[in-house]
Amino acid sequence: MNFLSIGTVFAYGQTSSGKTFVITSFYYIGTNSQPGVIPQAVDCVFDYIKECQEKEFLLRVSYMEIYNETVRDLLSPETEDLRIHEDKRRGVYVSPLKEVVVSTPRQVLKEIMKGEANRHMSATDWNERSSRSHTIFQMVIESTAKNSSPSTSHRYHPAGPKMSGASVSLSVLNLIDLAGSEKATTSIDRRKEGAYINKSLLTLGTVISKLTENNFFLCNSGHIPFRDSKLTRILQNSLSGNARVSVICTISPSVINIEESQNTLKFAARVKKVVTKAHTNAVMDDKALLQKYRLEIEELKTKLESTNISNDKEKEAELSQMLAQEKAKVNYRNIKN
C-alpha cells in the first residue's frame, strides 16, 4: 500500500514584479547568497533525508511549462503531444512526462537549469527577461522503512506492483512560477502570449473565488471551472483542498502599476479564504519505484533458487548477473546517509 501527500507553492503577480526571482533566483544571479524557493526547498528535503536514519528514500523530478495553453516538457523538449489525464488513484497528471531520478541537490539543480534553458523567455516593454509561460517543477519523494521487504507471495508485474507487504509513502512537492499578468504590449507575439497568460490567470482567479464562495469545501456543491485552462486543470489536485498550499504574491513599487498591484492584493485576500484539509491518502501507485525494484529483486531471487534446484548452470549465471544489476540499481538510486 502507498500513501500520498501533496504540497504546492506558487508565485502570483504582474509581470516584472519579481516572481521568477523569488522562486528560482539562484539561477539568475549566479550565486547562492540569495537562493529562491526552489533551491531552498531542495536543500530542505535533502537535509531531512540526512537526519532520517530509519528510512530510505528515492527522489524523482520533472519540469514542465504551459506556453500558449500547450504543455511542454522542459527536460525533454522534443517530446510532443503531452496530455492531461485523470484517474482515481493518481488524480490529475501529465503524460508522457520525463522524470529523472536524483540523489543529490546538485543533480536536482542541474536538471532545473536544463529546464530553464528550454523555457520560453523574451523581452517585453517592462522587462528585459520575462517569463512567457507558467512552469511547474515537481519533486516526488518516495520513502519506506529500512530493511522492509515486500511480500514474496506477490509477484512483480511488468506494469508495476499491485500490492506489497511493505508500504511506500509518496510525497509530491509542486513549485510553480506563474507568468505575470500584462497590459497591452507593442509586440504582436508578446500580445498573443499575454492574451493566453491573462486568460489562464483570470481562470485561476475565478476558481479561487468559487472555492471561497458559500463554504465550498463544507457543502461540496457547485461547479468549479478547473477545465477552463491547462493551469487550473493541472493544479486541481492542489486547489481541491487535499493539499498544503502556499501562495507568494508579488507587487511592483512603481506608481504606474498601482492598478495591477491592487488586483494582486485582492487575489491574495481571496486566496487566504481558501480552506484546505490536507491529509495523507492511501493509494495504489504503480510508479512507486522503490517498491518496484524490490519486487524485481525478489522475483529474480525466486527464479535463481528454482534454477539452482534444476542445476541449470547457464541459466543460473544469467539470473545471477540480472540480480546483481538490480541490486546495483537500487544501491545507486536509494539515498543513504
Side-chain angles (χ1 to χ4, degrees), residues 14-47:
Q14 72 181 86
T15 189
S16 75
S17 60
K19 298 180 303 303
T20 301
F21 181 84
V22 169
I23 294 292
T24 60
S25 60
F26 175 83
Y27 313 107
Y28 294 100
I29 62 177
T31 175
N32 58 5
S33 62
Q34 293 179 290
V37 172
I38 290 181
Q40 290 191 63
V42 170
D43 287 341
C44 184
V45 168
F46 279 94
D47 287 343

Side-chain angles (χ1 to χ4, degrees), residues 25-301:
S25 60
F26 175 83
Y27 313 107
Y28 294 100
I29 62 177
T31 175
N32 58 5
S33 62
Q34 293 179 290
V37 172
I38 290 181
Q40 290 191 63
V42 170
D43 287 341
C44 184
V45 168
F46 279 94
D47 287 343
Y48 174 81
I49 290 174
K50 289 179 181 179
E51 296 175 359
C52 189
Q53 300 183 7
E54 68 275 8
K55 291 185 178 182
E56 57 185 7
F57 297 80
L58 186 144
L59 278 69
R60 42 195 166 96
V61 298
S62 61
Y63 204 11
M64 73 184 93
E65 75 169 353
I66 304 172
Y67 176 72
N68 290 354
E69 282 299 288
T70 300
V71 182
R72 295 180 65 249
D73 189 341
L74 293 177
L75 299 184
S76 181
E78 66 278 3
T79 303
E80 298 180 352
D81 197 28
L82 271 70
R83 297 188 179 185
I84 301 174
H85 306 273
E86 181 177 12
D87 64 29
K88 294 181 179 179
R89 295 178 301 173
R90 299 178 58 186
V92 178
Y93 65 97
V94 175
S95 178
L97 186 66
K98 182 178 181 180
E99 288 187 318
V100 179
V101 176
V102 293
S103 57
T104 65
R106 184 178 294 274
Q107 281 185 282
V108 179
L109 301 183
K110 180 180 178 181
E111 294 301 325
I112 297 174
M113 293 179 71
K114 176 182 176 182
E116 285 292 312
N118 295 321
R119 183 180 184 182
H120 281 86
M121 306 286 287
S122 298
T124 66
D125 293 351
W126 301 274
N127 200 354
E128 182 178 353
R129 182 178 172 84
S130 178
S131 304
R132 312 311 300 158
S133 63
H134 310 302
T135 61
I136 302 174
F137 172 74
Q138 185 176 85
M139 177 181 289
V140 179
I141 304 126
E142 300 181 20
S143 63
T144 186
K146 285 185 176 179
N147 302 321
S148 61
S149 59
S151 173
T152 56
S153 62
H154 303 289
R155 299 305 181 196
Y156 168 70
H157 187 275
K162 299 301 180 185
M163 180 61 74
S164 168
S167 63
V168 176
S169 295
L170 299 175
S171 300
V172 181
L173 178 61
N174 300 304
L175 302 173
I176 303 166
D177 178 22
L178 300 178
S181 57
E182 296 184 352
K183 297 179 180 179
T185 181
T186 55
S187 170
I188 296 177
D189 290 336
R190 302 295 84 78
R191 196 178 306 162
K192 178 182 178 181
E193 293 167 347
Y196 280 109
I197 291 170
N198 289 339
K199 179 183 177 181
S200 62
L201 293 177
L202 177 62
T203 303
L204 176 61
T206 301
V207 167
I208 295 296
S209 297
K210 291 287 186 180
L211 291 174
T212 57
E213 287 177 359
N214 304 320
N215 296 319
F216 172 79
F217 290 114
L218 297 179
C219 61
N220 195 25
S221 62
H223 170 68
I224 306 298
F226 288 113
R227 295 176 180 268
D228 286 1
S229 81
K230 298 287 180 63
L231 174 64
T232 51
R233 182 68 170 138
I234 293 174
L235 289 179
Q236 183 172 344
N237 291 340
S238 300
L239 296 176
S240 295
N242 186 26
R244 292 187 178 276
V245 181
S246 295
V247 181
I248 302 169
C249 290
T250 60
I251 60 175
S252 169
S254 175
V255 176
I256 63 175
N257 295 323
I258 187 169
E259 182 180 352
E260 292 289 336
S261 296
Q262 288 177 337
N263 291 335
T264 299
L265 293 175
K266 290 178 182 178
F267 176 84
R270 291 197 301 269
V271 167
K272 290 181 67 175
K273 296 179 182 178
V274 175
V275 178
T276 59
K277 297 181 179 180
H279 59 275
T280 301
N281 294 325
V283 297
M284 283 306 300
D285 187 352
D286 291 344
K287 296 187 69 178
L289 298 184
L290 281 174
Q291 198 175 33
K292 178 179 177 180
Y293 293 156
R294 288 181 173 215
L295 288 172
E296 286 178 342
I297 291 175
E298 290 296 325
E299 182 74 12
L300 289 171
K301 282 183 177 179

